[in-house]
């Protein structure tokens, strides 16, 4: 069994695309995943599944959600080891003490022609960003909600992206690590 993390975008936001986490974990189980555990209502799922074509699993997951809930969310599924690598490669370790200001944008694939010059022009003086492979790191001390850089990053990178703040990334890594270490994985509940 491999441990993966599924990042959903646009569910349970502003009363739209409602998907209770209990229903979501049930869908994962229907499709053959084990130990599906969620973290916060915005759609983060740590789960295990036998190694196979994960893009096929993702497609089946979207179809099942559409059939059950009437909408088809964007889902990015990555191996838990990719999250660990992204954390180790964080170019802004000083920002880790302000976890809500540090975001990791997980990209569907490595951008071929990102417009880094335009991204640089949108950056406030106190903001920093860095693109490393499939991760877009953003430190926005005033918050991503007020950041023109954050608002334009996906478009200017030219790649589908979903981002999570440092605190969420740490919790997901903790969950994935405990899956690997705990003999009773189904009893895991993340600390909040």
């Amino acid at each position: 069994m491999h441990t993966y993390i599924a990042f959903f975008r646009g569910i349970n936001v502003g009363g739209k695309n409602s998907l209770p986490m209990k229903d979501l974990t049930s869908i994962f189980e229907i499709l053959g995943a084990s130990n599906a555990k969620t973290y916060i209502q915005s759609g983060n799922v740590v789960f295990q599944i036998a190694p196979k074509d994960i893009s096929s699993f993702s497609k089946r997951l979207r179809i099942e959600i559409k059939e059950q809930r009437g909408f088809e969310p964007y889902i990015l599924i990555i191996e838990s080891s990719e999250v660990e690598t992204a954390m180790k490669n964080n170019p802004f370790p000083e920002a880790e003490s302000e976890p809500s200001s540090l975001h990791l944008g997980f990209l569907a694939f490595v951008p071929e022609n990102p417009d880094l010059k335009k991204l640089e022009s949108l950056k406030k003086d106190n903001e920093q960003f860095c693109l490393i492979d499939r991760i877009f790191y953003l430190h926005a001390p005033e918050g991503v909600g007020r950041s023109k850089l954050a608002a334009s990053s996906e478009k200017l990178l030219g790649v589908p992206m979903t981002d999570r703040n440092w605190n969420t990334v740490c919790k997901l890594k903790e969950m994935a690590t405990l899956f690997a270490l705990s003999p009773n994985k189904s009893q895991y509940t993340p600390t909040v």
Side-chain angles (χ1 to χ4, degrees), residues 70-175:
F71 67 93
E72 192 171 338
Y74 174 78
I75 308 165
L76 179 64
I77 299 176
I78 63 173
E79 284 200 55
S80 61
S81 61
E82 291 181 66
V83 171
E84 289 181 42
T85 300
M87 292 176 75
K88 287 177 187 169
N89 290 340
N90 174 25
F92 311 120
E94 68 283 358
E96 292 175 14
S97 62
E98 301 174 54
S100 63
S101 71
L102 177 59
H103 283 247
L104 279 65
F106 295 91
L107 306 173
F109 50 88
V110 176
E112 291 183 21
N113 296 305
D115 193 343
L116 300 178
K117 191 178 251 186
K118 180 66 175 177
L119 285 168
E120 186 67 36
S121 75
L122 295 173
K123 176 175 85 71
K124 292 181 182 178
D125 289 341
N126 64 348
E127 291 181 328
Q128 302 175 76
F129 74 89
C130 184
L131 175 64
I132 301 176
D133 297 322
R134 291 178 50 203
I135 309 296
F136 180 73
Y137 299 87
L138 172 62
H139 179 221
E142 296 175 30
V144 293
R146 298 179 186 170
S147 172
K148 290 180 182 177
L149 173 60
S152 301
S153 58
E154 182 177 39
K155 179 181 178 186
L156 294 173
L157 291 169
V159 175
M161 176 178 80
T162 186
D163 77 5
R164 298 298 187 267
N165 69 33
W166 187 255
N167 187 52
T168 297
V169 172
C170 289
K171 293 295 183 186
L172 294 170
K173 178 189 173 280
E174 175 188 344
M175 290 171 69

